Each structure stands twice: as C-alpha cells, then as structure tokens.
Amino acid sequence: MGIILLILLVVGIIGYQTVSNLTNEVTKKYGYENEEIIAYVEDKYDIPVTILENEGRKTGSAEKGLTVHDAIVQAKNEEQLTFHIHISPFGNISGDDYEEVKLRHDLNAKLRDSDMFEKLRAEGFTSISFGAESEDPTFSMMLPEGKRIGDEEVHESLYASIPTLKKVQKEAEKEGYKMSEIHVDDVTVPLNAEYQDAEDMANKLAADNIDAFTYLFSESDRAKVSDMSFEETGFQANLTCEKIVIYDICDTYSLTLTPIMKEDGEDEFRYDDEADRAQLFEGIQLSREIELPIDTLLVDNMVVPFKPEDQHYTEEELLEREGSVQVMTSFELEVRDWIGYTKLDR
C-alpha cells in the first residue's frame, strides 16, 4: 500500500509540474501579437499583411477574460484578400483560411464573365458568387428585386438553371472546390437531387426550407386561429408549420398554447391546479375546432413533475407518498391524445 501511495504521489507531482509548465507557456503565448501573426503569414505564404482585427492578443483585461478571437488580416498586394488567422484556446495560431478565400476569389474571377454566369443572369438571378469568406455559402445567387421564392416563375427559372449550375459545379471541382448545394436567397438547393419538373423542385425545396415558404399560407391560416378567440380562455395560440408536401400548403401544423399572465402576475401553468386544468380543457376544445391539419398540441410554461408518470397525482399527493417532489417548468410540453379528449380528467 505504501509503495502505491508513493507512486501516486510522484505521478501527482509530475502532473502538477506539467500543468504548471503548460499554464506558464499558455500565459506567455496567449493571443499572438500582431508582429507574430504578420511573421506567420509571411513565412507560410510569402505575403505581407495588415492586421485589421486582433482582439485575442490582449491579456489581463476583464472584458476579454479567457475568450479567444480569431485575428483578421488583409493582404498588401493587388488582390487585397481578407482572411482569418485562427487562434486556439491556448493562445497560439492553429491555422488560417487563406487558401479557401483565395480559391473563392480565383473562381469568381475566372467565371464572372463566363457563359455559365451569363445564362444564370439571363434567368433573372443576381449577385452570383462563390462568396468571399470561408463562412459564406459555397455558391449563392439572389432573386430579382420584387421576386420571392414561392413565385411560379422563379421555380421555372431555377429549374431551367439546374443544368447550368451543374456545369459550374464541375468547373469548381476541377479546382478542388466542393459545392454540393447552392443558396438562392435563404433557400438551400441541393445540386445532386433529382427534380421531375419545376413544381416537383418547388415542393422538395419547400419541404427542406419550410420557413422560406410559410409566407404563402401563414396569414390566412393564422387568421383561422385568431378567429377562435383563444385569449378568452387565457391563452395565446401560435401556429408552426412542421411539414410541407405541396409548396404553398402546410401539410402538418403544431399549435402552441401559452398562458396569458394573470392578474397576480403568474404566467406559469400548473398541471394539478383545477382552474388551470379547466382552462387547458377549454383550450383543447377550441384547438379541435380549428379547420387546419394540427398534428401536435403543445403547452408552454407548464409546471409538471420531473417524472411524466407522476402527472397522475397532485403535487400534494406526491409529497405525502414520497416525502418530496421534484417539479420543473416545461416549455412546449406535448399534450398527448388531445384529439380524443371529451371530458376534464387527470
């Protein structure tokens, strides 16, 4: 036993010394100075740069703490590319994104005046680009002013552009640039998907980009919810489209009931309070009357037992049975089998 303790002590001392040395080294290197970043870029790429931002280089300030920021530099040559120098949590340079920024720049320059880009512009797309920074989409286009992604003519133009976009994809891949998808406004368009026609493409895009298409039906569908006067039962009701099959119709909705703040300032909904339960039952009844495909009913700000099976008992009953009870405020708690509720029951 004594030998084991001695070994553990030695290991502990060595470990402490190692951590101590590492801490000193980290403290010494924390956030590379401007001169060190400039030297790193010149050594790696033989490019002189100007430091645009380097928040991570300072130490000891309360607002910085242990947060490390990437440095941003700009090349002092004809291209004047702006790129990031990555700073690790230990304060040393861990890499950069110059090569990707350079590749994007070269592709934009090479294809900007190409027949492929001209064809895309002829279909009405603008701001066609591989992006300028590593965080940008791999390839993006904007719709003409006044056009939206739900417009049929946009679907036709985008569908007609798929062969051209695939040619752009091949040209980019020759340079080692991967682009399996493009962005049109806020919609992601996979290039390797199969589309039967423009409408089929619109349906598939809507299924994967629900938020971009909800404007087509949200106003009229939300009006149906507003007409039910949920406020009179003490709830705010909010619709969320969960599934689209046909691009201009929501196939499946969820409905969230959020308790309105009461006169005493309470806005939480207690699972075992008789008045709250009666209020919820009224909300469920109204939800069932909405002429929309509501598949899921959720209740916000609801205080429930930590264990779902304990909802069959009041908090007082649980306290008597177990001596203590653990409850939590659950956000968007799903009401199960709500379609079948015909009476107020626990």
Side-chain angles (χ1 to χ4, degrees), residues 53-336:
E53 292 182 23
N54 189 15
E55 295 183 65
R57 68 187 175 88
K58 298 180 180 179
T59 62
S61 57
E63 67 273 14
K64 300 296 181 186
L66 295 177
T67 302
V68 180
H69 301 273
D70 284 353
I72 301 177
V73 303
Q74 185 177 53
K76 293 195 294 185
N77 55 18
E78 292 183 1
E79 295 176 342
Q80 296 186 327
L81 299 181
T82 299
F83 55 99
H84 291 74
I85 306 298
H86 305 311
I87 310 298
S88 78
F90 296 107
N92 54 326
I93 295 175
S94 60
D96 60 81
D97 61 4
Y98 171 74
E99 291 179 350
E100 181 175 351
V101 170
K102 170 67 171 168
L103 180 55
R104 287 172 182 261
H105 171 271
D106 291 347
L107 284 170
N108 283 325
K110 178 181 178 181
L111 299 180
R112 185 180 295 119
D113 298 323
S114 67
D115 291 341
M116 292 176 288
F117 273 40
E118 286 300 324
K119 285 183 179 180
L120 295 174
R121 294 188 190 101
E123 290 291 346
F125 298 107
T126 63
S127 302
I128 305 166
S129 175
F130 290 95
E133 300 183 5
S134 58
E135 294 86 358
D136 291 338
T138 54
F139 189 86
S140 62
M141 308 187 302
M142 298 295 291
L143 296 174
E145 186 176 353
K147 299 298 181 182
R148 303 188 71 175
I149 195 64
D151 297 348
E152 289 186 14
E153 59 187 284
V154 168
H155 306 160
E156 295 290 346
S157 294
L158 186 54
Y159 180 70
S161 298
I162 293 297
T164 302
L165 289 165
K166 288 187 176 182
K167 289 181 181 179
V168 174
Q169 180 186 35
K170 288 183 178 180
E171 285 298 315
E173 288 179 346
K174 289 179 183 178
E175 307 297 330
Y177 188 79
K178 302 295 183 182
M179 51 173 286
S180 60
E181 61 186 27
I182 68 167
H183 282 239
V184 180
D185 284 10
D186 295 327
V187 172
T188 301
V189 183
L191 290 179
N192 299 324
E194 295 295 330
Y195 304 117
Q196 296 178 6
D197 51 34
E199 184 176 358
D200 178 57
M201 183 189 67
N203 293 339
K204 289 176 178 176
L205 294 182
D208 294 330
N209 301 269
I210 292 176
D211 289 345
F213 285 82
T214 54
Y215 78 92
L216 291 167
F217 47 76
S218 59
E219 185 175 347
S220 60
D221 285 359
R222 285 172 182 165
K224 295 178 182 179
V225 176
S226 298
D227 291 343
M228 303 307 295
S229 302
F230 277 92
E231 291 81 2
E232 295 179 8
T233 66
F235 287 109
Q236 289 181 338
N238 295 294
L239 275 178
T240 301
C241 184
E242 303 290 351
K243 181 181 178 182
I244 293 179
V245 176
I246 305 300
Y247 74 91
D248 58 351
I249 301 172
C250 183
D251 187 72
T252 302
Y253 273 115
S254 66
L255 179 70
T256 301
L257 302 182
T258 302
I260 297 174
M261 186 174 291
K262 302 174 185 176
E263 293 182 359
D264 59 2
E266 182 67 47
D267 63 352
E268 291 183 331
F269 192 89
R270 299 197 66 86
Y271 81 103
D272 61 347
D273 183 278
E274 292 297 328
D276 285 355
R277 289 174 54 235
Q279 176 186 340
L280 177 57
F281 183 71
E282 289 185 49
I284 290 174
Q285 295 301 97
L286 278 180
S287 301
R288 292 169 60 185
E289 297 175 17
I290 301 174
E291 296 181 355
L292 289 172
I294 300 174
D295 183 65
T296 304
L297 181 64
L298 306 168
V299 181
D300 225 351
N301 284 11
M302 190 169 186
V303 178
V304 294
F306 189 78
K307 298 178 181 178
E309 60 268 23
D310 286 343
Q311 293 179 30
H312 295 289
Y313 308 96
T314 65
E315 190 171 344
E316 183 178 351
E317 290 170 342
L318 291 173
L319 190 60
E320 290 178 358
R321 291 177 55 198
E322 302 180 10
S324 64
V325 57
Q326 187 176 7
V327 297
M328 63 177 180
T329 300
S330 178
F331 299 98
E332 295 192 339
L333 180 72
E334 183 176 350
V335 181
R336 297 180 180 176

Side-chain angles (χ1 to χ4, degrees), residues 3-22:
I3 295 176
I4 294 176
L5 291 175
L6 180 60
I7 293 173
L8 291 175
L9 179 61
V10 172
V11 171
I13 292 174
I14 294 173
Y16 173 79
Q17 188 64 42
T18 301
V19 172
S20 178
N21 292 339
L22 179 60

